[in-house]
Amino acid sequence: MVFLRKASEFRTIRQSFLALGLLLTLLSFAIGQQSTATPYVSQEIGEDDGIPVIIKHLPEWESVHDSVVLTDKVDDLRRVLGERSVFTTMDLFPGSEAAVATYPTGKLLLVEYPTPQSATNGFAMVDALANVDEFHHRRIGNYVAIVFDSEDASAAAVLFDQIKYEKYVQWLGEDPYLLQKLERYFVTTGRDVALSTVLFISIVFSSAIGLGILAGFLFYRSRRQLKTNSVAFSDAGGLTRLNLDELSEPIKLES
C-alpha cells in the first residue's frame, strides 16, 4: 500500500510538471506570436493621414510608402538589409527610429535621432566604417541617411538632396541658447561683411588697374598714330643739322 501510494504521488507530481511545462511552452509561443504579429508603430504620425512623418521625408515617398520598413532595432535592419559591418557599431539610441526603402539607385536607410548630440554620435559611428562597406552617407538635420548597394555617388547624392529635415525646436519660455545664437550670428555676420569688403575692394582695385592700363595703351596708340601722320618740323631755319631726334625730313641729295 505504501508503494502504491508513493507511485501515485510520483505520477501526480510528474503530471503537474508536464502540465506546467506545456503551459510555459504555450505561453512563450503566444508571446512570440504576439511580438511577431505586432508591427512597429512610429513615434510621430501625421494628423491628417496617419502616415509616419519619417516616411513623408523619404524621396518620392508616395511610390514607396507601402513597402517601407519601420523599426527601432538594429536586428530588424539586419534582417532587411543583410549583415553589414556598419551594424556592428550602429546604436539606435532610445527615441530613435529607422526607415528602409528600396529605389533603383539602391537601398536607402534613414535613421532619425532624437537630439543633435545623438545624431552627431550616430553619424560618427557610420562615418568611421564608410570605407569598409563602401556605402554613401550624409547627415541631414537629425537624420543620418545611408545608401547601400549603389556605385554611383551622384545618384546617391540626388536621393540625399530630396530628403528634407523640416523639424525645429520652439521653446515655451526663454531660449537657453539665445546668447550662443547671438554670438554665432554676430561672428557669422562680421565674417561675411569682412569678406564682402575685401572682395569689393579687390574688384575695384583690379578694375582701376585694368582701366588704367587700357587707357594708357589707347593714349599711346593715338599719340603714335598722330606722330606718324604729322609733317616733320625742324627749327634749323633751312640749315643743315644733325637729325638726332629724327624730326627732320631726310635730305635728298641731287645727282
Side-chain angles (χ1 to χ4, degrees):
M1 296 297 293
V2 175
F3 176 77
L4 293 176
R5 185 184 305 169
K6 290 184 178 181
S8 177
E9 292 177 355
F10 177 76
R11 190 182 306 109
T12 304
I13 294 174
R14 186 179 63 177
Q15 291 177 353
S16 300
F17 275 110
L18 290 176
L20 181 60
L22 180 61
L23 179 61
L24 292 176
T25 302
L26 293 176
L27 183 61
S28 61
F29 179 77
I31 294 175
Q33 286 293 105
Q34 183 179 3
S35 61
T36 304
T38 303
Y40 171 75
V41 179
S42 178
Q43 305 175 38
E44 188 174 3
I45 299 177
E47 297 179 356
D48 51 347
D49 50 16
I51 298 177
V53 175
I54 190 173
I55 293 182
K56 291 184 178 181
H57 290 173
L58 291 171
E60 302 177 1
W61 68 271
E62 295 90 346
S63 59
V64 299
H65 78 277
D66 291 333
S67 59
V68 173
V69 177
L70 292 179
T71 183
D72 60 346
K73 298 179 177 60
V74 179
D75 291 337
D76 294 338
L77 298 180
R78 288 191 177 96
R79 283 192 289 269
V80 176
L81 296 171
E83 187 61 40
R84 312 275 181 169
S85 61
V86 68
F87 294 152
T88 59
T89 59
M90 176 178 288
D91 185 11
L92 294 182
F93 305 103
S96 305
E97 62 181 353
V100 181
T102 303
Y103 296 90
T105 303
K107 296 181 179 179
L108 173 63
L109 169 62
L110 186 63
V111 182
E112 181 181 7
Y113 291 94
T115 62
Q117 292 79 9
S118 59
T120 301
N121 296 333
F123 182 78
M125 296 177 184
V126 173
D127 188 62
L129 295 175
N131 295 328
V132 177
D133 267 351
E134 296 182 354
F135 54 79
H136 308 284
H137 62 295
R138 182 187 296 181
R139 178 180 174 182
I140 308 169
N142 285 356
Y143 286 149
V144 175
I146 308 174
V147 174
F148 296 101
D149 304 332
S150 176
E151 299 179 356
D152 191 353
S154 60
V158 171
L159 283 180
F160 292 147
D161 293 338
Q162 299 179 56
I163 300 175
K164 306 298 182 183
Y165 188 78
E166 300 175 345
K167 299 180 181 180
Y168 62 95
V169 177
Q170 184 176 1
W171 299 95
L172 298 179
E174 183 179 356
D175 188 353
Y177 303 103
L178 180 60
L179 182 59
Q180 290 86 338
K181 291 180 179 179
L182 290 177
E183 291 178 353
R184 188 182 305 112
Y185 171 77
F186 286 125
V187 170
T188 305
T189 304
R191 180 195 60 192
D192 294 341
V193 170
L195 292 177
S196 301
T197 303
V198 172
L199 182 62
F200 177 76
I201 293 175
S202 301
I203 293 175
V204 172
F205 186 71
S206 301
S207 301
I209 293 178
L211 291 176
I213 293 175
L214 180 61
F217 177 75
L218 294 177
F219 180 77
Y220 169 78
R221 289 294 302 272
S222 63
R223 296 295 297 175
R224 187 75 176 176
Q225 185 177 5
L226 180 63
K227 179 181 178 181
T228 302
N229 297 333
S230 62
V231 179
F233 172 78
S234 175
D235 59 351
L239 300 177
T240 302
R241 62 188 294 276
L242 296 177
N243 192 19
L244 298 178
D245 52 6
E246 298 182 357
L247 294 177
S248 301
E249 293 285 347
I251 300 175
K252 298 180 180 180
L253 300 177
E254 297 180 358
S255 57

